[in-house]
Amino acid sequence: MSAQKKIAEAEDLVRQAEKSLKTSLLKWVPDYDSAADEYSKAATAYRIAKSYDKSKDCFLKAIDSYKNNKSWFHAAKCYEQIILLSKDADKLTEVEEYVNKACSLYQQHGSPEAAASALDKAAKLTMQKHPEMALRFYQHAGEVIMIEDSTRQAAEYASKVSRILVKLKRYEEATQALKREIGLNQQTESYGQIGRLVVALVLVQLGIGDSVEAEKSFKEWGNYCEAEEVMTLQTLLQAFDDEDPELAAKMLASPFIRHMDVEYAILAKSIPLPQGIQLESKSGNTENNAVKDNDDEGLC
């Protein structure tokens, strides 16, 4: 169907919606239910015709009608449709306003799972171009889902929060996020997952140059690690303790670390290596030899 026909269809639906809202001597109350349905259909028709502004306007009018009818769930669904329109119209900066409104209405309806799901979908939509916005959505989703004591789902959102923080190089915040993620996995007894998180936490702490805290983290949670994880971390931390850059580089490039989540694998490539005592000693010996030669020349 051509865009012109869809626009004509939408305009007809808008007229019907406006008629549903009118009152008369025999009709004292607006028919909000019919108006909301007709505005929603008009919005969909406008969207198909790529008339995004008019589509959004109709969805907002449908939301008003749903609210007047106390249909919070359906109003929230319309906000989610506006979020999809923001993608179509390349206006992703508008997503945050509407997903927060959708989330609030879902919670008002008593559906925290739907609220968290809306935030999750919005985060996926904005992740590539606006990772900081996606971060806020996942943080909010984690808070909302905990209302239902859904710790396992909260741990999934926490994982995404940790990884985005690493991607944004906000390492101090990432260490706290990873510790919270470890705590959530302890509550769900997901012990196998904790080992990987300990490795990630150590990498982040090494990334900010804090090998002391990295060692403390390993001592605190290392008992959750598998044999391969233990060996990797022990050797890596020993390399930093001994200031052995070659061994540290070798461990950071190990297949085990390379196959972690991409954010941590990329982080491992940028971790500052220890300076190396041997290199400093060699430099010091060269300077000592030069001084000795000068002294010998003086004696002659």
Side-chain angles (χ1 to χ4, degrees):
M1 189 179 288
S2 68
Q4 290 83 356
K5 287 183 179 180
K6 293 306 291 185
I7 288 174
E9 178 187 333
E11 289 172 346
D12 183 55
L13 285 162
V14 168
R15 283 191 291 270
Q16 291 178 43
E18 290 170 347
K19 186 177 178 181
S20 295
L21 291 174
K22 287 180 179 178
T23 57
S24 65
L25 289 173
L26 300 176
K27 182 189 171 188
W28 294 359
V29 180
D31 186 354
Y32 291 119
D33 193 45
S34 295
D37 184 55
E38 287 151 359
Y39 275 130
S40 293
K41 289 177 179 177
T44 301
Y46 275 129
R47 183 183 178 190
I48 293 170
K50 297 185 178 180
S51 184
Y52 300 130
D53 288 339
K54 288 184 178 180
S55 178
K56 177 182 173 181
D57 184 57
C58 284
F59 275 127
L60 289 171
K61 288 178 178 177
I63 288 167
D64 286 339
S65 292
Y66 280 130
K67 284 182 177 178
N68 282 320
N69 221 20
K70 300 189 186 304
S71 298
W72 315 123
F73 189 89
H74 290 95
K77 279 289 181 187
C78 285
Y79 275 127
E80 287 203 73
Q81 290 301 312
I82 293 177
I83 290 168
L84 295 177
L85 276 177
S86 300
K87 179 190 175 185
D88 294 338
D90 196 23
K91 295 180 178 179
L92 289 176
T93 53
E94 296 181 356
V95 169
E96 190 160 16
E97 174 188 353
Y98 296 117
V99 76
N100 285 336
K101 288 180 177 180
C103 181
S104 178
L105 286 171
Y106 278 131
Q107 287 182 285
Q108 192 170 344
H109 181 261
S111 302
E113 301 94 340
S117 177
L119 289 160
D120 184 23
K121 286 183 279 188
K124 290 173 180 173
L125 204 64
T126 55
M127 173 68 77
Q128 188 173 358
K129 292 185 178 180
H130 304 282
E132 292 192 358
M133 191 185 296
L135 171 65
R136 292 193 292 274
F137 296 158
Y138 281 128
Q139 288 171 329
H140 193 180
E143 294 167 359
V144 168
I145 206 65
M146 282 302 290
I147 296 171
E148 287 290 291
D149 291 328
S150 183
T151 309
R152 194 172 299 277
Q153 185 65 52
E156 290 182 22
Y157 292 137
S159 172
K160 291 170 182 176
V161 168
S162 301
R163 286 155 53 191
I164 295 174
L165 285 169
V166 170
K167 181 179 180 179
L168 294 173
K169 298 183 179 181
R170 290 161 60 173
Y171 298 135
E172 294 286 355
E173 293 173 74
T175 60
Q176 298 306 313
L178 280 162
K179 288 176 182 178
R180 181 173 184 274
E181 192 181 345
I182 288 171
L184 290 169
N185 278 279
Q186 285 175 318
Q187 291 179 45
T188 60
E189 299 183 355
S190 303
Y191 300 128
Q193 183 65 20
I194 295 174
R196 284 269 173 159
L197 293 174
V198 174
V199 178
L201 178 58
V202 167
L203 290 177
V204 173
Q205 289 170 325
L206 290 176
I208 57 179
D210 198 342
S211 58
V212 174
E213 281 300 314
E215 193 165 340
K216 285 181 182 177
S217 297
F218 178 58
K219 287 179 179 177
E220 183 173 355
W221 291 296
N223 57 310
Y224 291 108
C225 296
E226 299 290 340
E228 185 180 10
E229 294 163 345
V230 170
M231 184 199 72
T232 301
L233 289 180
Q234 281 182 335
T235 309
L236 178 60
L237 290 169
Q238 190 62 51
F240 272 83
D241 192 48
D242 294 342
E243 297 195 29
D244 185 340
E246 291 183 7
L247 181 57
K250 179 181 177 182
M251 296 313 300
L252 289 170
S254 66
F256 173 77
I257 289 179
R258 284 207 314 269
H259 291 104
M260 291 183 70
D261 288 324
V262 63
E263 293 83 4
Y264 301 121
I266 292 173
L267 168 64
K269 294 178 182 178
S270 63
I271 290 175
L273 297 175
Q275 295 299 312
I277 294 174
Q278 292 181 349
L279 293 176
E280 292 175 0
S281 298
K282 185 177 179 181
S283 175
N285 289 336
T286 302
E287 291 175 4
N288 289 336
N289 289 336
V291 171
K292 184 178 179 181
D293 289 342
N294 289 335
D295 289 342
D296 289 342
E297 289 174 5
L299 289 172
C300 292

